[in-house]
Amino acid sequence: MATGALDGPVPAAAPRGQRVLDLLDKAIDAQSPLVRKNIARARQRNPEATPAQVIRNLERMYVSALTGTGAAVGGTAAAPGVGTGVALALSAGEALSSLELSALYALSIAEVHGVPIDELERRRTIVMGIMLGGTGSTTITKVAERTGQHWGRQVVAKVPVEMLRQINKILGKNFVTKYGTKQGIIVLGRVAPFGIGAVIGGGANAALATLTVRSGRRAFGPPPTSWHG
């Protein structure tokens, strides 16, 4: 172990923050091509489903998947015979899965609402803004100098990419702070006696999913009455 990595808080913090943002970009890149398939899956039981019905299905699918992932990793990490190092490694791998699920959910909701997701900066704003909740919406509307509800439609769909880059720089700093802290608490909570870890893992992810769904509703507002395009 290189002890020098801990000398000087600024050099140590910067790589860690960049790693979080790299994970975010990796998740966005991986999930962006799957958005339409995800929406099709939400419509498969009812091809005539309205946008409101599809959004509701997307919310259920996201909460269920994220909760299940957290519980599975929590239970495995806390199983007898699994060392702390292995447990932390499993939880670190699940962090990317959580990001991927959240990215897929956020971009799918944007697509149903007809908000463009063809550019990376717009995708970043959507995913970080939704995952950050109130902090994200406040930052976005303040930097964009836009007032009113539903930043997903008023800002992401309309402002120039140059402005979105400015917004994303601030969102990125907030994302590193909030996401890193939250994951730290969740990861440590999973290293618990068998059974308790599953409850903590599933419960933490369920809470995160619920907050993300609420944030998505605030970001885009009421579902469209008909399909765009």
Side-chain angles (χ1 to χ4, degrees):
M1 180 182 294
T3 56
L6 297 179
D7 296 334
V10 175
R16 174 182 172 277
Q18 189 57 49
R19 284 196 298 271
V20 173
L21 295 178
D22 287 345
L23 280 177
L24 174 68
D25 280 346
K26 184 177 180 180
I28 291 174
D29 289 343
Q31 298 305 313
S32 294
L34 305 179
V35 166
R36 293 191 176 181
K37 289 183 179 180
N38 193 42
I39 293 172
R41 183 182 168 210
R43 297 180 71 174
Q44 64 183 359
R45 292 185 180 179
N46 179 13
E48 303 301 320
T50 65
Q53 291 171 324
V54 169
I55 287 175
R56 184 58 184 151
N57 284 342
L58 288 170
E59 291 174 347
R60 290 195 189 102
M61 288 161 51
Y62 169 62
V63 172
S64 176
L66 197 60
T67 303
T69 300
V73 174
T76 303
V82 176
T84 300
V86 176
L88 292 175
L90 286 169
S91 293
E94 191 269 339
L96 179 57
S97 298
S98 298
L99 268 180
E100 288 181 337
L101 287 170
S102 298
L104 180 60
Y105 164 73
L107 295 174
S108 297
I109 297 298
E111 175 73 15
V112 174
H113 278 273
V115 174
I117 58 172
D118 52 324
E119 294 167 314
L120 177 59
E121 293 300 337
R122 298 190 193 281
R123 295 195 292 268
R124 283 174 173 159
T125 306
I126 289 168
V127 174
M128 286 193 291
I130 288 178
M131 290 193 71
L132 286 171
T135 301
S137 61
T138 300
T139 297
I140 292 168
T141 54
K142 182 177 180 180
V143 177
E145 297 182 346
R146 299 288 182 100
T147 57
Q149 296 180 318
H150 317 317
W151 59 262
R153 293 204 304 258
Q154 293 196 19
V155 176
V156 176
K158 298 178 180 180
V159 304
V161 174
E162 291 76 12
M163 181 171 287
L164 290 179
R165 287 196 183 99
Q166 297 176 31
I167 292 172
N168 288 342
K169 285 182 181 179
I170 300 173
L171 290 179
K173 294 176 182 177
N174 293 335
F175 188 83
V176 167
T177 300
K178 184 173 182 179
Y179 183 83
T181 301
K182 184 177 295 183
Q183 281 301 126
I185 294 172
I186 294 173
V187 167
L188 291 177
R190 290 193 181 117
V191 187
F194 186 64
I196 298 177
V199 173
I200 293 175
N205 275 16
L208 174 63
T210 300
L211 291 174
T212 303
V213 165
R214 290 176 184 170
S215 181
R217 292 174 182 173
R218 289 194 299 268
F220 297 107
T225 56
S226 60
W227 291 100
H228 59 90

